[in-house]
């Protein structure tokens, strides 16, 4: 639905924001959101107006809907936009910036609230929402700082066809992982992982017990598990890990839409028996590694050794549909919403 909120604006142009209007029970629905129309705001001294070009929809948004997002207020999110009007010398019109104030078509920012994006030959802007953005940084931190993947080790990744999962597979391959196994939610995604991302094997977790499927795909065991889902697949990974194995816990998407607590894992004693290490993290605590990520990944993007895994949805008016589709696994790679006319 669309509501109106009147305010002065630039030449009568209109802006849209998305508000959360209700707390969902189980899977969110379109009725939990509202599109709110207003005039495009005018920048005050010290601020600039950004017209947004790309929006990220992420699994963590679902978790925040249960209480962290304020009702009837614009939702936050990773966004790329272009400065179209500025009243600060620190932000020039035409600059491309990253900020966290979108789900909205336009926003006012201060220089401290944005990050200017470097431009690299042959690298599209959408990459800053996927492999060069928070998605890629999450995968990079999980592999290099948390799990500390070493060359020649074997890796299992759950939700491997999602944004973080595809980025993890791409990065692990160039980091020298020996064997990379992933789980996904359909036969088509399994094929995509093996044919395009570089996974050595993958399985559809709907096809049977996760422990049996993982044992078949990785009969000699694994050294590292990158966990995006929790639950039964975490239990299977604990069983399949070799002594001194490591688990990087990124998310628990298996329970975000389930009001009942997960029954698994039931084998936590193996963490002690096999001297395993399990560590969770928030990528926000590793923002200082952003430049390191660029230095590592950009040459591989330019050479073609790392490809982009993105599902692009055109039009801000489809952002809610994109978010709900992502939660139901309708994307391959990172789900990104793109404004009309964006490159």
């Amino acid at each position: 639905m669309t509501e109106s909120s009147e305010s002065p604006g630039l030449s009568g142009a209109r802006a849209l924001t998305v508000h959360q209007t209700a707390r969902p029970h189980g899977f969110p629905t379109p009725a939990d959101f509202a599109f709110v129309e207003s005039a495009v705001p005018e920048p005050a001294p010290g601020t600039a107006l950004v017209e947004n070009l790309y929006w990220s929809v992420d699994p963590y948004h679902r978790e925040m809907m249960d209480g962290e997002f304020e009702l009837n207020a614009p939702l936050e999110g990773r966004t790329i936009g272009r400065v179209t009007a500025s009243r600060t010398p620190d932000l020039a019109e035409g600059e491309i910036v990253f900020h966290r104030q979108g789900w909205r078509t336009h926003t006012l920012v201060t220089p401290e609230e944005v990050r200017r994006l470097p431009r690299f030959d042959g690298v599209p802007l959408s990459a800053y929402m996927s492999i060069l953005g928070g998605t890629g940084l999450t995968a990079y931190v999980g592999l290099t700082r948390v799990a500390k993947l070493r060359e020649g080790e074997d890796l299992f990744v759950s939700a491997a066809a999602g944004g973080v999962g595809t980025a993890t597979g791409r990065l692990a391959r160039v980091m020298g992982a020996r064997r990379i196994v992933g789980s996904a939610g359909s036969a088509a995604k399994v094929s995509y992982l093996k044919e395009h991302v570089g996974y050595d094997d993958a399985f559809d977790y709907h096809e049977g017990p996760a422990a049996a499927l993982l044992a078949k795909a990785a009969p000699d065991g694994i050294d590292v598990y990158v966990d995006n889902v929790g639950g039964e697949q975490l239990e299977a990974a604990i069983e399949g890990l070799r002594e001194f194995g490591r688990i990087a816990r990124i998310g628990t998407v298996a329970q975000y839409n389930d009001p009942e607590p997960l029954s698994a894992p039931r084998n936590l004693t193996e963490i002690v028996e096999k001297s395993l290490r399990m560590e969770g993290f928030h990528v926000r605590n590793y923002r200082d590694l952003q430049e390191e990520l660029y230095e590592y990944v950009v040459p591989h993007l330019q050479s073609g050794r790392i490809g982009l895994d993105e599902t692009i949805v055109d039009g801000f008016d489809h952002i809610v549909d994109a978010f709900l589709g992502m939660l139901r696994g309708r994307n391959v790679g990172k789900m990104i919403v793109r404004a009309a006319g964006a490159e």
Side-chain angles (χ1 to χ4, degrees):
M1 93 185 192
T2 302
E3 302 172 355
S4 293
S5 175
E6 292 299 329
S7 63
L10 294 171
S11 305
R14 309 302 291 174
L16 282 177
T17 62
V18 177
H19 294 194
Q20 182 185 342
T21 58
R23 303 290 180 205
H25 299 283
F27 266 91
T29 72
D32 296 322
F33 303 88
F35 285 84
V36 178
E37 185 181 86
S38 65
V40 173
E42 296 186 17
T47 71
L49 175 67
V50 174
E51 182 177 0
N52 294 321
L53 303 172
Y54 289 89
W55 298 265
S56 175
V57 291
D58 297 286
Y60 80 87
H61 286 132
R62 172 62 189 89
E63 194 173 16
M64 294 183 72
M65 289 183 71
D66 288 334
E68 293 184 67
F69 281 145
E70 182 180 348
L71 293 181
N72 302 306
L75 299 178
E76 70 93 37
R78 301 175 181 129
T79 311
I80 293 171
R82 178 182 292 109
V83 176
T84 56
S86 179
R87 296 189 65 187
T88 170
D90 296 321
L91 286 175
E93 293 183 11
E95 280 195 284
I96 302 296
V97 296
F98 170 92
H99 65 86
R100 301 189 64 90
Q101 294 189 39
W103 298 14
R104 61 186 94 192
T105 57
H106 301 75
T107 190
L108 295 178
V109 299
T110 65
E112 297 74 27
E113 292 173 326
V114 304
R115 185 175 79 245
R116 294 172 180 82
L117 296 180
R119 300 308 307 272
F120 301 103
D121 290 342
V123 178
L125 270 181
S126 64
Y128 294 95
M129 291 276 93
S130 57
I131 192 73
L132 295 181
T135 297
L137 187 59
T138 298
Y140 185 78
V141 169
L143 290 172
T144 65
R145 297 313 198 269
V146 180
K148 298 181 180 177
L149 178 72
R150 296 185 289 268
E151 187 174 354
E153 290 190 317
D154 298 320
L155 177 75
F156 170 47
V157 184
S158 57
V164 172
T166 50
T168 299
R170 300 271 187 189
L171 293 173
R173 179 57 65 207
V174 299
M175 289 175 184
R178 187 180 75 93
R179 183 171 174 79
I180 307 173
V181 172
S183 67
S186 70
K189 289 184 176 182
V190 166
S191 296
Y192 181 86
L193 290 172
K194 294 191 290 186
E195 295 170 10
H196 298 284
V197 183
Y199 277 78
D200 296 287
D201 204 353
F203 59 84
D204 180 349
Y205 63 84
H206 295 108
E207 292 185 346
L213 295 169
L214 178 59
K216 181 179 179 181
D220 298 325
I222 56 174
D223 301 292
V224 169
Y225 172 47
V226 176
D227 183 22
N228 291 295
V229 302
E232 183 189 4
Q233 294 189 61
L234 173 57
E235 183 175 278
I238 291 171
E239 181 176 329
L241 279 162
R242 303 177 181 127
E243 190 175 23
F244 305 114
R246 288 92 67 203
I247 301 168
R249 291 221 61 210
I250 292 171
T252 314
V253 72
Q255 75 178 59
Y256 288 165
N257 297 296
D258 191 344
E260 297 299 323
L262 296 173
S263 59
R266 296 161 294 186
N267 56 348
L268 293 177
T269 57
E270 291 193 39
I271 291 180
V272 176
E273 293 168 1
K274 294 195 287 187
S275 298
L276 307 180
R277 181 170 60 82
M278 180 164 63
E279 181 180 345
F281 70 97
H282 283 291
V283 72
R284 63 173 178 256
N285 296 323
Y286 294 87
R287 296 297 179 196
D288 59 312
L289 298 181
Q290 187 67 58
E291 293 299 323
E292 182 179 318
L293 178 73
Y294 292 158
E295 292 174 8
Y296 187 83
V297 174
V298 168
H300 293 305
L301 282 174
Q302 292 172 324
S303 71
R305 192 176 184 197
I306 289 180
L308 294 178
D309 303 288
E310 300 172 345
T311 297
I312 304 290
V313 174
D314 283 311
F316 180 77
D317 53 327
H318 295 299
I319 191 169
V320 171
D321 295 333
F323 172 61
L324 299 179
M326 178 273 301
L327 289 179
R328 295 191 178 277
R330 292 173 184 160
N331 57 299
V332 173
K334 181 73 185 75
M335 180 74 91
I336 300 170
V337 179
R338 178 174 58 192
E343 68 171 60

